[in-house]
Amino acid sequence: MPLPYPAADLLLPAPSPLHFRYEQFQPHTGFDRHRHPWGQINRISLGLIELVLDEQKLIAPADYLVWVPADVPHAAYVRQAMDYLSVYVSATLAARLPPHACLIEQTPLIRALLEDFARRGIGTTQQPWDVHQAELLIECMVRAGSVDSYLPDSRDRQLQAILATLREQPGDNTTLASWAQRVHSTERTLARRFQRELGMSFVQWRSRVRLLQALVWLKEDRPVQDIAAQLGYGTASAFIAMFQKQVGLSPQRYRRQLCGEG
């Protein structure tokens, strides 16, 4: 038997072409498994959002949107207080987006378009200009491309050894040149494989591993200085800069929000 739609969805007219919902979440807000009658764009102001689908978990920082097509069952969880935007998308526009749940990077133009809708408090796109802006938003999302995971994996044999080590030891500071020697390759070849297989550089992938581990250790109340050292950063300030760039707030503020302190 299919999951019923949330009661709030049943009270809404079909988006034409978009419908916006603005909410503020408290720390540790969760949503049980559910589905929506329309495709849904999820946007958070900071931190991370976690969506659990039947066969995957999508973890997205604030610089990504999470796209979920209509009728795809999912559960959601947010760890810290945040502003949240949900955008329902008409079937016509949704057909232009991927047919599966995925992450879409917020380019500067995508961010500006969404912030303009939010600043003006738009709920439904009825005015001609708002409809044009909605169509432009979806076009920008199409052009931005999508990824299936914030931390993608690879079946490439040489990359697998590197990825497995970094997952187990995110503080490992072995350089790509040293890895090339270990796996009998060259630094240039490995760099190309990272871009081709994972869509990012070796350093970018390692930073994401470290971020996810940092989130776990911050929840365990470990000192920021210790976390930085265990993750291979020479100084706490280097770790804080990485965290701020990825999550949108400092480790200290993230931890305060985990504890509901704002």
Side-chain angles (χ1 to χ4, degrees):
M1 182 177 179
L3 288 170
Y5 296 129
D9 287 0
L10 299 176
L11 299 176
L12 296 174
S16 59
L18 301 180
H19 180 88
F20 295 82
R21 294 176 61 184
Y22 307 93
E23 300 181 70
Q24 290 185 322
F25 289 157
Q26 297 302 309
H28 305 293
T29 297
F31 298 90
D32 293 334
R33 195 165 177 267
H34 61 284
R35 64 189 180 112
H36 301 289
W38 310 288
Q40 181 189 38
I41 300 167
N42 299 271
R43 183 187 191 234
I44 57 174
S45 59
L46 50 81
L48 293 172
I49 184 172
E50 300 175 20
L51 266 67
V52 179
L53 298 96
D54 288 341
E55 298 181 356
Q56 69 180 133
K57 175 186 284 189
L58 289 176
I59 301 175
D63 52 349
Y64 279 84
L65 303 173
V66 182
W67 163 246
V68 182
D71 293 314
V72 172
H74 59 282
Y77 181 71
V78 295
R79 298 182 183 276
Q80 64 283 319
M82 65 173 65
D83 293 327
Y84 169 74
L85 170 64
S86 171
V87 186
Y88 289 139
V89 183
S90 69
T92 300
L93 289 186
R96 303 189 57 205
L97 295 170
H100 58 279
C102 61
L103 309 183
I104 298 176
E105 184 178 1
Q106 286 196 73
T107 65
L109 182 51
I110 289 174
R111 187 180 301 276
L113 292 170
L114 288 171
E115 289 179 353
D116 179 69
F117 278 127
R119 179 184 59 80
R120 294 187 292 123
I122 298 299
T124 59
T125 47
Q126 297 178 337
Q127 299 300 319
W129 168 246
D130 290 333
V131 172
H132 291 320
Q133 185 167 323
E135 293 170 346
L136 176 59
L137 171 65
I138 300 303
E139 175 65 21
C140 290
M141 291 176 63
V142 171
R143 291 174 179 267
S146 64
V147 294
D148 295 333
S149 172
Y150 179 65
L151 194 66
D153 209 340
S154 171
R155 294 183 179 180
D156 183 285
R157 289 186 178 182
Q158 291 182 325
L159 293 188
Q160 279 184 333
I162 303 172
L163 303 185
T165 298
L166 290 176
R167 287 182 190 274
E168 292 295 324
Q169 304 170 39
D172 188 303
N173 271 327
T174 302
T175 65
L176 190 60
S178 296
W179 274 116
Q181 293 180 346
R182 292 188 191 183
V183 300
H184 309 291
S185 182
T186 67
E187 182 177 5
R188 179 176 295 181
T189 296
L190 283 185
R192 285 199 300 261
R193 288 187 176 184
F194 264 90
Q195 290 292 346
R196 183 183 69 240
E197 293 285 324
L198 304 173
M200 65 188 74
S201 70
F202 164 74
V203 172
Q204 288 173 320
W205 197 92
R206 185 176 62 186
S207 292
R208 293 188 180 196
V209 171
R210 291 177 172 181
L211 172 65
L212 296 180
Q213 183 61 66
L215 296 175
V216 173
W217 285 342
L218 285 169
K219 186 178 180 181
E220 294 174 356
D221 207 28
R222 296 193 189 187
V224 170
Q225 193 86 23
D226 291 352
I227 293 174
Q230 291 177 48
L231 290 179
Y233 290 94
T235 63
S237 60
F239 163 68
I240 292 170
M242 179 280 293
F243 194 95
Q244 181 88 35
K245 180 179 180 181
Q246 297 277 0
V247 180
L249 68 167
S250 69
Q252 294 91 338
R253 184 181 171 199
Y254 178 85
R255 177 146 49 204
R256 289 198 299 270
Q257 294 210 357
L258 276 177
C259 299
E261 299 175 6

